[in-house]
Each structure stands twice: as structure tokens, then as C-alpha cells.
Amino acid sequence: MVDIAFIGLGAMGSGMAANLAKAGYRVRAFDLVPASIEAAVTAGCVAAPSVNQAVSGADFVLTMLPTGAHVLDVYQQGEGVLAHARPDAALIDCSTISVEDARAIGEAARADGFFMCDAPVSGGVAAAAAGTLTFMVGGSAAEFEKAKPVLQAMGKAVIHAGQSGAGQAAKICNNMLLAISMIGTCEAFVLAEKLGLDAKAFYDIASQSSGQSWSMTSYAPVPGLVPSAPSNRDFNNGFAGALMLKDLRLALEATHHVGMTAALALKSEEIYSEYILKYSPSRDFSGVIDMLRNQ
Ligand code: NAD
């Protein structure tokens, strides 16, 4: 049996680990939160008491953690992945982190002889649970081929973006666009509301017109339109505003590196910063509609 260590069982990782178990892998699940490990066991995984014990002897090591600092910590601390993984293990980080951090972690892993890919995802919590994520993968052709079957058990599309760090480059460009498009979608719904237009009527029209986007058809910020959207659960258990802000800042950092100005991304950073201060860092990013409505 192929063994997979899965570290980080939050909003995304919980569904991903469950799908790997469903596909027949033995998944050793670890998170700092014991209740998340218990939920993973209910979904068919095996509990691991530490990073060290999760990765020892595993064929693959997957991480789905909040930020680059968490990934660096889990990889490089004394009890971490690099110190305890099997020498021929393939390491796959699915978290969204900076291109620089991804390359640094990849270099350290390869220097120790490991296969390593950055493989961030697009799709959100519903896609993680349904096994329909899109993976954008950075690494050599051989590293990509090794990671592919495991990623296919959690996704509908697994795309080789290029060498180490290219997956993260694709992800931050994608999320810069998502951050902007969600604000535009929210502003359009608020204006429709203020003009007396029924939200469902607007949705039925715009979702089949040129205003259509993922923010609208998969993640509508108004409840009752897209059943799996966080707007139906008071913006809980979605993509935290703080994580969207993190991704947007990674993109803005990258614009500085290459000497470009992204005016809409800059304005979006201002809006999401205000949003997480006024509401909560863990509230889904599409909940920004409430702030825009009340302005
Ligand atoms: P989350 O905060 O819900 O989950 C992260 C998990 O990591 C938590 O359960 C936390 O306890 C655990 N963790 C933190 N430090 C740890 C450590 N040292 N050892 C073990 N576990 C540790 O976050 P999420 O929404 O699942 O997002 C994870 C990553 O995926 C982020 O980088 C995010 O940007 C990205 N992402 C999220 C979404 C989404 O819709 N939520 C979509 C695409 C990508």
C-alpha cells in the first residue's frame, strides 16, 4: 500500500486527505488541532501524533498549510519533514506561498535528494471536498510525473506550470484576478439590489452574459443562488479574507520585483484589509459584499 503523510487538515486539507483515503492510499494525518485529526480518522485516514511520525517511512508527504512561514517551519524544524522523510519520498506542498519560499524549500529538499513539487490549488473548499481541484505544479518533468497520480485523486485538472516555483507564480496571478473579480461581482450585486433588481434575476442574466465569472457562478456572494457558496453559511468555512489578503500581498510583492504597477490589485488590497479589520480575518472573502453594501 502507498503511504501518504498529510499535514494540515484545515478547510482545504480535510477534504483532500479524505479523497486520498477514498482512493485507496493509507493517509497518515497530522494537524496541530486534535479535532481535525479525529475528523480525518472518521474520513478514513490514520491518526499521526506528530510531523515526524507522519512522514517517517511515507512514500509521499503532502502539506496544506496557511503560509510560507508554516511550510518552512514544518519542513525545516528539527522534527520536520526534511529530517525525517524517507530519502526517496516525494514531497508536495499544496499551500499558497511566495515563489521565493517555494524555490527555497524546493532547493533545500533537492539538496537532500528528495523529489519536490510546489502544487498550489484552485477551486475552494467545495472542490477540495468533491475532489475537483485544479493543481498547478512547479518542478521538473520527472517530479511532475511522480506527483501526478496522487494529485489526480484530489483534482479534475493537474497542470505542469514549469520548473520549481512556477506553480506558485500561476497561483498568485490567478488569485490576484480572483481578488479583483470578487469585488467587482459584489459591487454589481449591491448596485442591482439598490436599483430594486431581484438578486436571482440578476444572477440568471449575468451568469449567462458577459459579466459571468467564477466569483459569480461558483461563489455567488448572495445566498440562495449557488448552494455550495459560503454566502449560504454566513461566510463560514470558506476562503478566509486573511488568506485572500495574504495571496494578494504575494502578488503585489511580485509586481514590485518585476517593476510593474497593478492599480486594481493595489485598490483590492486596501478593500480586503479594511474588510478583515471590520469583520473577521476568518470570514470568507466574498463576505466583503456586506462591507460594500453598508458603505
Ligand atoms: P486553514 O487555516 O483552514 O488550514 C490550515 C491548517 O494547517 C489548520 O488546520 C492548522 O491547524 C494547520 N497547521 C498550521 N500549522 C501547522 C503545523 N505546524 N503542523 C500541522 N498543522 C498545522 O487553511 P485552508 O483554508 O485549508 O488553506 C490552506 C492553504 O490553501 C493556504 O495556503 C490557502 O491560501 C490555500 N488555499 C485555500 C483555499 C480555500 O478556499 N480555503 C483555496 C485555495 C488555496
Side-chain angles (χ1 to χ4, degrees):
M1 194 178 224
V2 176
D3 270 37
I4 299 182
F6 202 110
I7 300 161
L9 307 162
M12 297 295 286
S14 52
M16 294 164 72
N19 282 321
L20 289 173
K22 216 183 288 168
Y25 292 105
R26 181 159 51 208
V27 182
R28 301 132 165 241
F30 177 69
D31 194 286
L32 294 178
V33 179
S36 302
I37 302 182
E38 281 160 31
V41 170
T42 307
C45 303
V46 180
S50 65
V51 170
N52 167 0
Q53 289 173 70
V55 306
S56 297
D59 301 278
F60 292 86
V61 175
L62 268 76
T63 37
M64 192 52 165
L65 297 162
T67 68
H70 293 91
V71 181
L72 282 163
D73 186 42
V74 163
Y75 264 72
Q76 295 180 334
Q77 57 168 293
E79 293 302 299
V81 175
L82 295 184
H84 291 281
R86 219 171 66 191
D88 63 344
L91 315 179
I92 307 172
D93 178 37
C94 297
S95 328
T96 303
I97 66 175
S98 73
V99 176
E100 286 71 28
D101 283 345
R103 287 189 180 141
I105 293 164
E107 256 170 48
R110 287 184 196 96
D112 287 351
F114 295 108
F115 269 64
M116 169 93 215
C117 288
D118 48 293
V121 307
S122 176
V125 175
T132 55
L133 292 167
T134 295
F135 287 88
M136 30 210 120
V137 187
S140 67
E143 287 166 334
F144 174 70
E145 288 307 323
K146 177 112 182 166
K148 199 171 167 186
V150 168
L151 300 178
Q152 278 172 333
M154 302 179 285
K156 65 171 169 27
V158 180
I159 300 162
H160 191 196
Q163 292 300 315
S164 180
Q168 297 296 349
K171 174 66 186 172
I172 60 172
C173 293
N174 180 79
N175 274 27
M176 181 174 95
L177 180 55
L178 173 63
I180 295 166
S181 89
M182 180 54 79
I183 291 172
T185 303
C186 290
E187 285 181 345
F189 270 108
V190 171
L191 179 61
E193 220 168 88
K194 291 186 190 294
L195 292 174
L197 185 58
D198 176 64
K200 171 85 168 69
F202 175 56
Y203 175 82
D204 288 344
I205 293 162
S207 64
Q208 299 183 71
S209 302
S210 45
Q212 186 272 341
S213 69
W214 186 92
S215 295
M216 173 165 291
T217 55
S218 293
Y219 225 78
V222 171
L225 302 176
V226 175
S228 59
S231 52
N232 296 295
R233 42 182 193 271
D234 209 12
F235 303 103
N236 287 312
N237 196 31
F239 182 37
L243 288 180
M244 174 47 95
L245 190 58
K246 172 203 67 160
D247 292 359
L248 199 44
R249 287 181 174 155
L250 292 176
L252 285 167
E253 213 178 286
T255 64
H256 294 313
H257 283 307
V258 301
M260 76 174 264
T261 304
L264 292 183
L266 276 167
K267 187 67 195 169
S268 302
E269 198 251 359
E270 210 180 281
I271 292 172
Y272 288 113
S273 299
E274 190 185 341
Y275 169 59
I276 68 166
L277 270 180
K278 281 198 170 143
Y279 290 80
S280 138
S282 61
R283 200 168 189 259
D284 186 79
F285 79 116
S286 64
V288 75
I289 192 167
D290 289 335
M291 186 179 91
L292 299 170
R293 186 184 282 120
N294 295 328
Q295 267 169 358

